[in-house]
Coordinates of all heavy atoms in Angstrom, one line a residue:
M1 N -88.5 -33.4 -0.1 CA -89.1 -32.4 -0.9 C -88.6 -32.7 -2.4 O -87.4 -32.8 -2.6 CB -88.5 -31.0 -0.5 CG -89.1 -29.9 -1.3 SD -88.7 -28.4 -0.4 CE -88.5 -27.3 -1.7
T2 N -89.5 -32.8 -3.3 CA -89.2 -33.1 -4.7 C -89.2 -31.8 -5.5 O -90.1 -31.0 -5.4 CB -90.3 -34.0 -5.2 OG1 -90.4 -35.2 -4.4 CG2 -90.0 -34.5 -6.6
T3 N -88.2 -31.7 -6.4 CA -88.1 -30.6 -7.3 C -88.7 -30.9 -8.6 O -88.4 -32.0 -9.2 CB -86.6 -30.2 -7.4 OG1 -86.1 -30.0 -6.1 CG2 -86.4 -28.9 -8.2
S4 N -89.5 -30.0 -9.2 CA -90.1 -30.3 -10.4 C -89.1 -30.1 -11.6 O -88.1 -29.5 -11.4 CB -91.3 -29.3 -10.7 OG -90.7 -28.0 -10.9
P5 N -89.4 -30.8 -12.7 CA -88.5 -30.7 -13.8 C -88.3 -29.3 -14.3 O -87.3 -28.9 -14.8 CB -89.1 -31.6 -14.9 CG -90.0 -32.5 -14.2 CD -90.4 -31.8 -12.9
T6 N -89.4 -28.5 -14.2 CA -89.4 -27.1 -14.7 C -88.4 -26.3 -13.8 O -87.6 -25.5 -14.3 CB -90.8 -26.5 -14.6 OG1 -91.6 -27.3 -15.4 CG2 -90.7 -25.0 -15.1
A7 N -88.4 -26.5 -12.5 CA -87.5 -25.8 -11.6 C -86.1 -26.2 -11.9 O -85.2 -25.4 -11.8 CB -87.9 -26.1 -10.1
K8 N -85.8 -27.5 -12.2 CA -84.5 -27.9 -12.5 C -84.0 -27.3 -13.8 O -82.9 -26.8 -13.9 CB -84.4 -29.4 -12.6 CG -84.5 -30.2 -11.3 CD -84.5 -31.7 -11.5 CE -84.7 -32.4 -10.2 NZ -84.7 -33.8 -10.4
T9 N -84.9 -27.2 -14.8 CA -84.5 -26.6 -16.0 C -84.2 -25.1 -15.9 O -83.3 -24.6 -16.4 CB -85.7 -26.8 -17.1 OG1 -85.9 -28.2 -17.2 CG2 -85.3 -26.2 -18.4
T10 N -85.0 -24.4 -15.0 CA -84.8 -23.0 -14.8 C -83.5 -22.8 -14.1 O -82.8 -21.9 -14.5 CB -86.0 -22.5 -13.9 OG1 -87.2 -22.7 -14.6 CG2 -85.8 -21.0 -13.7
R11 N -83.2 -23.6 -13.1 CA -81.9 -23.4 -12.4 C -80.7 -23.7 -13.4 O -79.7 -23.0 -13.3 CB -81.8 -24.4 -11.2 CG -82.5 -23.8 -10.0 CD -82.1 -24.6 -8.8 NE -82.3 -26.0 -8.9 CZ -83.3 -26.6 -8.2 NH1 -84.0 -26.0 -7.4 NH2 -83.5 -27.9 -8.4
A12 N -80.9 -24.7 -14.2 CA -79.8 -25.0 -15.2 C -79.6 -23.8 -16.2 O -78.5 -23.4 -16.5 CB -80.1 -26.3 -16.0
A13 N -80.7 -23.2 -16.6 CA -80.6 -22.1 -17.5 C -80.0 -20.9 -16.8 O -79.1 -20.2 -17.3 CB -82.0 -21.7 -18.0
S14 N -80.3 -20.7 -15.5 CA -79.7 -19.6 -14.7 C -78.2 -19.8 -14.6 O -77.4 -18.9 -14.6 CB -80.4 -19.5 -13.4 OG -81.7 -19.2 -13.5
R15 N -77.8 -21.1 -14.3 CA -76.4 -21.4 -14.2 C -75.6 -21.1 -15.5 O -74.5 -20.5 -15.5 CB -76.1 -22.8 -13.7 CG -76.3 -23.0 -12.3 CD -75.7 -24.4 -11.9 NE -76.1 -25.5 -12.7 CZ -77.1 -26.3 -12.4 NH1 -77.9 -26.1 -11.4 NH2 -77.4 -27.3 -13.2
T16 N -76.2 -21.5 -16.6 CA -75.6 -21.2 -17.9 C -75.4 -19.7 -18.1 O -74.4 -19.2 -18.6 CB -76.4 -21.9 -19.0 OG1 -76.5 -23.3 -18.7 CG2 -75.7 -21.7 -20.4
A17 N -76.5 -19.0 -17.8 CA -76.4 -17.5 -18.0 C -75.4 -16.9 -17.0 O -74.6 -16.0 -17.4 CB -77.8 -16.9 -17.7
A18 N -75.3 -17.5 -15.8 CA -74.3 -17.0 -14.8 C -72.9 -17.3 -15.3 O -72.0 -16.5 -15.1 CB -74.5 -17.6 -13.5
T19 N -72.7 -18.4 -16.0 CA -71.4 -18.8 -16.5 C -71.0 -17.7 -17.5 O -69.9 -17.2 -17.5 CB -71.4 -20.1 -17.2 OG1 -71.8 -21.1 -16.2 CG2 -70.0 -20.5 -17.8
T20 N -71.9 -17.4 -18.4 CA -71.6 -16.4 -19.4 C -71.3 -15.0 -18.8 O -70.4 -14.3 -19.2 CB -72.7 -16.3 -20.5 OG1 -73.0 -17.6 -21.0 CG2 -72.4 -15.4 -21.6
E21 N -72.1 -14.6 -17.8 CA -71.9 -13.4 -17.2 C -70.6 -13.3 -16.4 O -69.8 -12.4 -16.5 CB -73.1 -13.0 -16.3 CG -74.4 -12.7 -17.0 CD -75.5 -12.6 -16.1 OE1 -75.3 -12.4 -14.8 OE2 -76.7 -12.7 -16.5
A22 N -70.4 -14.3 -15.6 CA -69.2 -14.4 -14.7 C -67.9 -14.6 -15.5 O -66.9 -14.0 -15.2 CB -69.4 -15.5 -13.7
A23 N -68.0 -15.3 -16.6 CA -66.8 -15.5 -17.5 C -66.9 -14.6 -18.7 O -67.4 -14.9 -19.7 CB -66.8 -17.0 -17.9
A24 N -66.6 -13.3 -18.4 CA -66.7 -12.3 -19.5 C -65.7 -12.5 -20.6 O -65.9 -12.1 -21.7 CB -66.5 -10.9 -18.9
S25 N -64.7 -13.3 -20.4 CA -63.7 -13.6 -21.4 C -63.2 -15.0 -21.3 O -63.3 -15.6 -20.2 CB -62.6 -12.6 -21.4 OG -61.8 -12.8 -20.2
Y26 N -62.6 -15.5 -22.3 CA -61.9 -16.8 -22.2 C -60.9 -16.8 -21.1 O -60.8 -17.8 -20.4 CB -61.3 -17.1 -23.6 CG -60.4 -18.3 -23.6 CD1 -61.0 -19.6 -23.7 CD2 -59.0 -18.2 -23.4 CE1 -60.2 -20.7 -23.7 CE2 -58.3 -19.4 -23.4 CZ -58.9 -20.6 -23.6 OH -58.1 -21.8 -23.5
E27 N -60.1 -15.7 -21.1 CA -59.0 -15.7 -20.1 C -59.6 -15.7 -18.6 O -59.0 -16.4 -17.8 CB -58.2 -14.4 -20.3 CG -57.4 -14.4 -21.6 CD -58.2 -14.1 -22.8 OE1 -59.3 -13.6 -22.7 OE2 -57.6 -14.3 -23.9
A28 N -60.7 -15.0 -18.4 CA -61.2 -15.0 -17.0 C -61.8 -16.4 -16.7 O -61.6 -16.9 -15.6 CB -62.4 -14.0 -16.9
A29 N -62.4 -17.0 -17.7 CA -63.0 -18.4 -17.5 C -61.9 -19.4 -17.2 O -61.9 -20.2 -16.3 CB -63.8 -18.8 -18.7
L30 N -60.8 -19.3 -18.0 CA -59.7 -20.2 -17.8 C -59.0 -20.0 -16.4 O -58.7 -21.0 -15.8 CB -58.6 -20.0 -18.9 CG -57.5 -20.9 -19.0 CD1 -58.0 -22.4 -19.1 CD2 -56.5 -20.6 -20.1
E31 N -58.8 -18.8 -16.0 CA -58.3 -18.5 -14.7 C -59.1 -19.1 -13.6 O -58.6 -19.8 -12.7 CB -58.1 -17.0 -14.5 CG -57.4 -16.7 -13.2 CD -57.2 -15.2 -13.0 OE1 -57.1 -14.4 -14.0 OE2 -57.1 -14.7 -11.8
E32 N -60.4 -18.9 -13.7 CA -61.3 -19.5 -12.7 C -61.3 -21.0 -12.7 O -61.3 -21.7 -11.7 CB -62.8 -19.0 -12.9 CG -63.7 -19.5 -11.8 CD -65.2 -19.0 -12.0 OE1 -65.4 -18.1 -12.8 OE2 -66.0 -19.6 -11.3
L33 N -61.2 -21.6 -13.9 CA -61.2 -23.0 -14.0 C -59.9 -23.6 -13.4 O -59.9 -24.6 -12.7 CB -61.2 -23.4 -15.5 CG -61.3 -24.9 -15.9 CD1 -62.5 -25.6 -15.2 CD2 -61.4 -25.0 -17.4
E34 N -58.8 -22.9 -13.6 CA -57.5 -23.3 -13.0 C -57.6 -23.3 -11.5 O -57.1 -24.2 -10.8 CB -56.4 -22.5 -13.5 CG -56.0 -22.7 -15.0 CD -55.0 -21.7 -15.6 OE1 -54.8 -20.7 -14.9 OE2 -54.5 -22.0 -16.6
Q35 N -58.2 -22.3 -10.9 CA -58.4 -22.2 -9.5 C -59.3 -23.3 -9.0 O -59.0 -23.9 -7.9 CB -59.0 -20.9 -9.1 CG -58.1 -19.7 -9.3 CD -58.8 -18.3 -9.1 OE1 -60.0 -18.3 -8.9 NE2 -58.0 -17.3 -9.2
L36 N -60.3 -23.6 -9.7 CA -61.2 -24.7 -9.3 C -60.5 -26.1 -9.3 O -60.6 -26.9 -8.4 CB -62.5 -24.8 -10.2 CG -63.5 -23.7 -10.0 CD1 -64.5 -23.7 -11.1 CD2 -64.2 -23.9 -8.7
V37 N -59.7 -26.3 -10.4 CA -58.9 -27.5 -10.5 C -58.0 -27.7 -9.3 O -57.8 -28.8 -8.7 CB -58.2 -27.6 -11.8 CG1 -57.2 -28.8 -11.9 CG2 -59.2 -27.8 -13.0
A38 N -57.3 -26.6 -8.9 CA -56.4 -26.6 -7.8 C -57.1 -27.0 -6.5 O -56.7 -27.8 -5.7 CB -55.7 -25.3 -7.6
Q39 N -58.3 -26.4 -6.3 CA -59.1 -26.7 -5.1 C -59.6 -28.2 -5.1 O -59.5 -28.9 -4.1 CB -60.4 -25.8 -5.1 CG -60.1 -24.4 -4.8 CD -61.3 -23.5 -5.0 OE1 -62.4 -24.0 -5.3 NE2 -61.2 -22.2 -4.7
L40 N -60.0 -28.7 -6.3 CA -60.4 -30.1 -6.4 C -59.2 -31.0 -6.2 O -59.3 -32.0 -5.5 CB -61.0 -30.4 -7.8 CG -62.4 -29.6 -8.0 CD1 -62.8 -29.8 -9.5 CD2 -63.4 -30.1 -7.1
D41 N -58.1 -30.7 -6.7 CA -56.9 -31.5 -6.5 C -56.4 -31.6 -5.1 O -55.8 -32.5 -4.7 CB -55.7 -31.0 -7.4 CG -55.9 -31.4 -8.9 OD1 -56.8 -32.3 -9.2 OD2 -55.2 -30.9 -9.8
A42 N -56.6 -30.5 -4.4 CA -56.2 -30.4 -3.0 C -56.9 -31.5 -2.1 O -56.4 -31.9 -1.1 CB -56.4 -29.0 -2.4
G43 N -58.1 -31.8 -2.5 CA -58.9 -32.9 -1.8 C -59.3 -32.5 -0.4 O -59.6 -33.4 0.4
Q44 N -59.5 -31.3 -0.1 CA -59.8 -30.8 1.2 C -61.3 -30.3 1.3 O -61.7 -29.7 2.3 CB -58.9 -29.7 1.6 CG -57.4 -30.1 1.7 CD -57.2 -31.2 2.7 OE1 -57.7 -31.2 3.8 NE2 -56.4 -32.2 2.3
L45 N -62.0 -30.4 0.2 CA -63.4 -29.9 0.2 C -64.4 -30.9 0.7 O -64.3 -32.1 0.4 CB -63.8 -29.5 -1.2 CG -62.9 -28.4 -1.8 CD1 -63.3 -28.2 -3.3 CD2 -63.1 -27.1 -1.1
P46 N -65.4 -30.4 1.4 CA -66.6 -31.3 1.8 C -67.3 -31.7 0.5 O -67.2 -31.1 -0.6 CB -67.5 -30.4 2.6 CG -66.7 -29.2 3.0 CD -65.6 -29.1 2.0
L47 N -68.0 -32.8 0.5 CA -68.6 -33.4 -0.6 C -69.5 -32.5 -1.4 O -69.5 -32.4 -2.6 CB -69.4 -34.7 -0.3 CG -69.9 -35.5 -1.4 CD1 -68.8 -35.9 -2.3 CD2 -70.6 -36.7 -0.9
D48 N -70.4 -31.7 -0.7 CA -71.3 -30.8 -1.3 C -70.6 -29.7 -2.1 O -70.9 -29.3 -3.2 CB -72.3 -30.2 -0.4 CG -71.7 -29.4 0.8 OD1 -70.6 -29.7 1.2 OD2 -72.4 -28.5 1.3
Q49 N -69.5 -29.2 -1.5 CA -68.7 -28.1 -2.2 C -67.9 -28.7 -3.3 O -67.8 -28.1 -4.4 CB -67.7 -27.5 -1.2 CG -68.4 -26.6 -0.2 CD -67.4 -25.9 0.7 OE1 -66.2 -25.9 0.5 NE2 -67.9 -25.3 1.8
L50 N -67.5 -29.9 -3.2 CA -66.8 -30.6 -4.3 C -67.7 -30.7 -5.5 O -67.3 -30.4 -6.6 CB -66.4 -32.0 -3.8 CG -65.6 -32.9 -4.8 CD1 -64.2 -32.3 -5.0 CD2 -65.5 -34.3 -4.2
L51 N -68.9 -31.1 -5.3 CA -69.9 -31.3 -6.4 C -70.2 -29.9 -7.0 O -70.2 -29.8 -8.2 CB -71.2 -32.0 -5.9 CG -72.2 -32.1 -6.9 CD1 -71.7 -33.0 -8.1 CD2 -73.5 -32.8 -6.3
T52 N -70.4 -28.9 -6.2 CA -70.7 -27.6 -6.7 C -69.5 -27.1 -7.6 O -69.7 -26.5 -8.7 CB -71.0 -26.6 -5.6 OG1 -72.1 -27.1 -4.8 CG2 -71.3 -25.2 -6.1
R53 N -68.3 -27.2 -7.1 CA -67.2 -26.7 -7.8 C -66.9 -27.6 -9.1 O -66.5 -27.0 -10.1 CB -65.9 -26.7 -6.9 CG -66.0 -25.6 -6.0 CD -64.8 -25.5 -5.1 NE -64.7 -24.3 -4.3 CZ -65.3 -24.2 -3.1 NH1 -66.1 -25.1 -2.7 NH2 -65.2 -23.0 -2.4
Y54 N -67.2 -28.8 -9.0 CA -67.1 -29.7 -10.2 C -68.1 -29.2 -11.3 O -67.7 -29.1 -12.5 CB -67.3 -31.2 -9.9 CG -67.2 -32.1 -11.1 CD1 -65.9 -32.6 -11.4 CD2 -68.3 -32.4 -11.9 CE1 -65.8 -33.4 -12.6 CE2 -68.1 -33.2 -13.0 CZ -66.9 -33.7 -13.3 OH -66.8 -34.5 -14.4
Q55 N -69.3 -28.9 -10.9 CA -70.3 -28.5 -11.9 C -69.9 -27.1 -12.5 O -70.0 -26.9 -13.7 CB -71.7 -28.4 -11.2 CG -72.3 -29.7 -10.8 CD -73.5 -29.6 -10.0 OE1 -73.7 -28.6 -9.2 NE2 -74.4 -30.5 -10.1
R56 N -69.4 -26.2 -11.7 CA -68.9 -24.9 -12.2 C -67.8 -25.1 -13.1 O -67.7 -24.5 -14.2 CB -68.5 -24.0 -11.0 CG -68.0 -22.7 -11.4 CD -69.0 -21.8 -12.1 NE -68.4 -20.5 -12.4 CZ -68.9 -19.7 -13.3 NH1 -70.0 -20.0 -14.0 NH2 -68.3 -18.6 -13.5
G57 N -66.9 -26.0 -12.8 CA -65.8 -26.3 -13.7 C -66.2 -26.9 -15.0 O -65.7 -26.5 -16.1
A58 N -67.2 -27.7 -15.0 CA -67.8 -28.3 -16.3 C -68.4 -27.2 -17.1 O -68.2 -27.2 -18.3 CB -68.8 -29.4 -15.9
E59 N -69.1 -26.2 -16.5 CA -69.7 -25.1 -17.2 C -68.6 -24.2 -17.8 O -68.7 -23.8 -19.0 CB -70.5 -24.3 -16.3 CG -71.8 -25.0 -15.8 CD -72.5 -24.2 -14.6 OE1 -71.9 -23.2 -14.1 OE2 -73.5 -24.7 -14.2
L60 N -67.5 -24.0 -17.0 CA -66.4 -23.1 -17.5 C -65.7 -23.8 -18.7 O -65.3 -23.2 -19.6 CB -65.5 -22.8 -16.4 CG -66.0 -21.8 -15.4 CD1 -65.1 -21.8 -14.1 CD2 -66.2 -20.4 -16.0
L61 N -65.5 -25.1 -18.5 CA -64.9 -25.9 -19.6 C -65.6 -25.8 -20.9 O -65.1 -25.6 -22.0 CB -64.7 -27.3 -19.1 CG -63.9 -28.2 -20.1 CD1 -62.5 -27.7 -20.4 CD2 -63.9 -29.7 -19.6
A62 N -67.0 -26.0 -20.8 CA -67.8 -25.9 -22.0 C -67.7 -24.5 -22.6 O -67.6 -24.3 -23.8 CB -69.3 -26.2 -21.6
F63 N -67.7 -23.4 -21.8 CA -67.6 -22.1 -22.2 C -66.2 -21.9 -23.0 O -66.2 -21.3 -24.1 CB -67.7 -21.1 -21.1 CG -67.4 -19.7 -21.4 CD1 -68.4 -18.9 -22.0 CD2 -66.2 -19.1 -21.2 CE1 -68.2 -17.6 -22.3 CE2 -65.9 -17.8 -21.6 CZ -66.9 -17.0 -22.1
C64 N -65.1 -22.4 -22.4 CA -63.8 -22.2 -23.0 C -63.7 -23.0 -24.3 O -63.2 -22.5 -25.3 CB -62.7 -22.7 -22.1 SG -62.4 -21.6 -20.7
R65 N -64.3 -24.2 -24.3 CA -64.3 -25.0 -25.6 C -65.1 -24.3 -26.7 O -64.6 -24.2 -27.8 CB -64.9 -26.4 -25.3 CG -63.9 -27.3 -24.7 CD -64.5 -28.7 -24.5 NE -63.5 -29.5 -23.9 CZ -63.8 -30.7 -23.3 NH1 -65.1 -31.1 -23.2 NH2 -62.9 -31.4 -22.8
A66 N -66.2 -23.7 -26.3 CA -67.0 -23.0 -27.3 C -66.3 -21.8 -27.9 O -66.3 -21.5 -29.1 CB -68.3 -22.5 -26.7
R67 N -65.6 -21.0 -27.0 CA -64.8 -19.9 -27.4 C -63.6 -20.3 -28.4 O -63.4 -19.7 -29.4 CB -64.2 -19.1 -26.3 CG -65.3 -18.5 -25.3 CD -66.1 -17.5 -26.0 NE -65.3 -16.3 -26.2 CZ -65.4 -15.5 -27.2 NH1 -66.5 -15.5 -28.0 NH2 -64.6 -14.5 -27.4
L68 N -62.9 -21.4 -28.0 CA -61.9 -21.9 -28.8 C -62.4 -22.3 -30.2 O -61.8 -22.1 -31.2 CB -61.1 -23.0 -28.1 CG -60.2 -22.6 -27.0 CD1 -59.7 -23.8 -26.3 CD2 -59.1 -21.7 -27.4
D69 N -63.5 -23.0 -30.2 CA -64.1 -23.4 -31.5 C -64.5 -22.2 -32.3 O -64.2 -22.3 -33.6 CB -65.4 -24.3 -31.2 CG -65.1 -25.7 -30.7 OD1 -63.9 -26.1 -30.8 OD2 -66.0 -26.3 -30.2
A70 N -65.0 -21.2 -31.7 CA -65.4 -20.0 -32.5 C -64.1 -19.3 -33.1 O -64.1 -18.9 -34.3 CB -66.1 -19.0 -31.6
V71 N -63.0 -19.3 -32.4 CA -61.8 -18.7 -32.9 C -61.2 -19.6 -34.0 O -60.8 -19.1 -35.0 CB -60.8 -18.5 -31.7 CG1 -59.4 -18.1 -32.3 CG2 -61.3 -17.4 -30.8
E72 N -61.2 -20.9 -33.7 CA -60.7 -21.8 -34.8 C -61.5 -21.7 -36.1 O -60.9 -21.7 -37.1 CB -60.8 -23.2 -34.2 CG -60.1 -24.3 -35.0 CD -60.1 -25.6 -34.3 OE1 -61.1 -26.4 -34.5 OE2 -59.2 -25.9 -33.5
N73 N -62.8 -21.6 -36.0 CA -63.6 -21.4 -37.2 C -63.3 -20.1 -37.9 O -63.3 -20.0 -39.1 CB -65.1 -21.5 -36.8 CG -65.6 -22.8 -36.4 OD1 -65.0 -23.8 -36.9 ND2 -66.6 -22.9 -35.7
Q74 N -63.1 -19.0 -37.1 CA -62.7 -17.8 -37.7 C -61.4 -17.8 -38.4 O -61.2 -17.3 -39.5 CB -62.7 -16.7 -36.7 CG -62.4 -15.3 -37.2 CD -63.5 -14.8 -38.3 OE1 -64.6 -15.3 -38.2 NE2 -63.0 -14.0 -39.2
I75 N -60.4 -18.6 -37.8 CA -59.1 -18.7 -38.5 C -59.3 -19.5 -39.8 O -58.7 -19.1 -40.8 CB -58.2 -19.5 -37.5 CG1 -57.8 -18.5 -36.4 CG2 -56.9 -19.9 -38.3 CD1 -57.0 -19.2 -35.2
R76 N -60.1 -20.5 -39.8 CA -60.4 -21.2 -41.1 C -60.9 -20.3 -42.1 O -60.6 -20.3 -43.3 CB -61.4 -22.4 -40.8 CG -60.7 -23.6 -40.3 CD -61.6 -24.8 -40.3 NE -61.3 -25.7 -39.3 CZ -62.0 -25.9 -38.2 NH1 -63.2 -25.4 -38.1 NH2 -61.6 -26.7 -37.3
V77 N -61.9 -19.4 -41.7 CA -62.5 -18.4 -42.7 C -61.4 -17.5 -43.2 O -61.3 -17.2 -44.4 CB -63.6 -17.6 -42.0 CG1 -64.0 -16.4 -42.8 CG2 -64.8 -18.5 -41.7
L78 N -60.5 -17.0 -42.3 CA -59.5 -16.1 -42.7 C -58.5 -16.8 -43.7 O -58.0 -16.2 -44.6 CB -58.7 -15.5 -41.5 CG -59.6 -14.6 -40.6 CD1 -58.8 -14.3 -39.3 CD2 -60.0 -13.4 -41.4
E79 N -58.2 -18.1 -43.4 CA -57.2 -18.8 -44.2 C -57.8 -19.1 -45.6 O -57.0 -19.1 -46.6 CB -56.9 -20.1 -43.6 CG -55.9 -20.0 -42.4 CD -55.6 -21.3 -41.7 OE1 -56.3 -22.3 -41.9 OE2 -54.6 -21.3 -40.9
T80 N -59.1 -19.2 -45.7 CA -59.7 -19.4 -47.1 C -59.9 -18.1 -47.8 O -60.3 -18.2 -49.0 CB -61.0 -20.2 -46.9 OG1 -61.9 -19.4 -46.2 CG2 -60.8 -21.5 -46.3
G81 N -59.7 -17.0 -47.1 CA -59.9 -15.7 -47.8 C -61.3 -15.2 -47.9 O -61.6 -14.2 -48.6
E82 N -62.2 -15.9 -47.3 CA -63.6 -15.5 -47.3 C -63.9 -14.5 -46.2 O -63.5 -14.7 -45.1 CB -64.5 -16.7 -47.0 CG -64.4 -17.8 -48.0 CD -65.3 -19.1 -47.6 OE1 -66.2 -18.9 -46.8 OE2 -64.9 -20.2 -48.1
A83 N -64.4 -13.4 -46.6 CA -64.7 -12.3 -45.6 C -66.1 -12.6 -45.0 O -67.1 -12.5 -45.7 CB -64.7 -11.0 -46.3
K84 N -66.1 -12.9 -43.8 CA -67.4 -13.1 -43.0 C -67.2 -12.4 -41.7 O -66.2 -12.4 -41.1 CB -67.6 -14.6 -42.7 CG -67.9 -15.4 -43.9 CD -68.2 -16.9 -43.5 CE -68.6 -17.7 -44.7 NZ -68.8 -19.1 -44.3
P85 N -68.3 -11.8 -41.2 CA -68.3 -11.2 -39.9 C -68.1 -12.2 -38.8 O -68.7 -13.3 -38.9 CB -69.6 -10.5 -39.8 CG -70.5 -11.1 -40.8 CD -69.6 -11.7 -41.8
W86 N -67.3 -11.9 -37.8 CA -67.0 -12.8 -36.7 C -67.9 -12.5 -35.6 O -68.0 -11.4 -35.1 CB -65.6 -12.8 -36.3 CG -65.2 -13.7 -35.3 CD1 -65.5 -15.1 -35.2 CD2 -64.5 -13.4 -34.0 NE1 -65.0 -15.6 -34.1 CE2 -64.4 -14.7 -33.3 CE3 -64.0 -12.3 -33.4 CZ2 -63.8 -14.8 -32.1 CZ3 -63.4 -12.4 -32.2 CH2 -63.3 -13.6 -31.6
D87 N -68.6 -13.5 -35.0 CA -69.4 -13.4 -33.9 C -68.6 -13.8 -32.7 O -68.4 -15.0 -32.4 CB -70.7 -14.2 -34.0 CG -71.6 -14.1 -32.8 OD1 -71.4 -13.1 -32.0 OD2 -72.5 -15.0 -32.6
A88 N -68.1 -12.8 -31.9 CA -67.2 -13.1 -30.8 C -68.0 -13.6 -29.6 O -67.4 -13.9 -28.6 CB -66.4 -11.8 -30.4
A89 N -69.3 -13.6 -29.6 CA -70.1 -14.0 -28.4 C -70.2 -15.4 -28.2 O -69.8 -16.3 -28.8 CB -71.5 -13.5 -28.6

């Protein structure tokens, strides 16, 4: 059974939305990521679960990096004395 590119794109967008929903905060995403790393390091997962958890970890890592970048940018703004609204999303 072949999956169309549109179906793959839709699933990828759904996963990204799920990452944002499930990871309501940086702290929650980091905690889930730490749990996933522990599971992956244990080496006891079947291959399909290993891949799924790795993909979820990559999504969470991207989410955490984006949040850290946003905070870092806001700190730069504060250090320069420029008053700009911060988008915490």
Side-chain angles (χ1 to χ4, degrees):
M1 184 166 147
T2 305
T3 306
S4 71
T6 305
K8 288 180 183 178
T9 303
T10 303
R11 277 197 302 253
S14 296
R15 277 196 312 269
T16 302
T19 300
T20 304
E21 290 173 17
S25 68
Y26 171 84
E27 291 79 11
L30 186 58
E31 183 177 334
E32 184 180 347
L33 184 56
E34 288 172 347
Q35 291 171 358
L36 287 170
V37 169
Q39 291 172 355
L40 293 172
D41 283 346
Q44 300 298 317
L45 298 171
L47 188 58
D48 60 332
Q49 288 181 13
L50 181 69
L51 180 59
T52 300
R53 284 182 173 82
Y54 181 86
Q55 290 171 333
R56 176 67 176 159
E59 292 167 354
L60 289 167
L61 182 59
F63 175 82
C64 288
R65 283 183 177 160
R67 298 294 294 152
L68 287 173
D69 287 344
V71 169
E72 192 175 86
N73 288 336
Q74 183 61 26
I75 290 170
R76 280 194 208 110
V77 167
L78 294 171
E79 286 176 344
T80 62
E82 298 175 24
K84 291 183 181 178
W86 182 51
D87 181 17

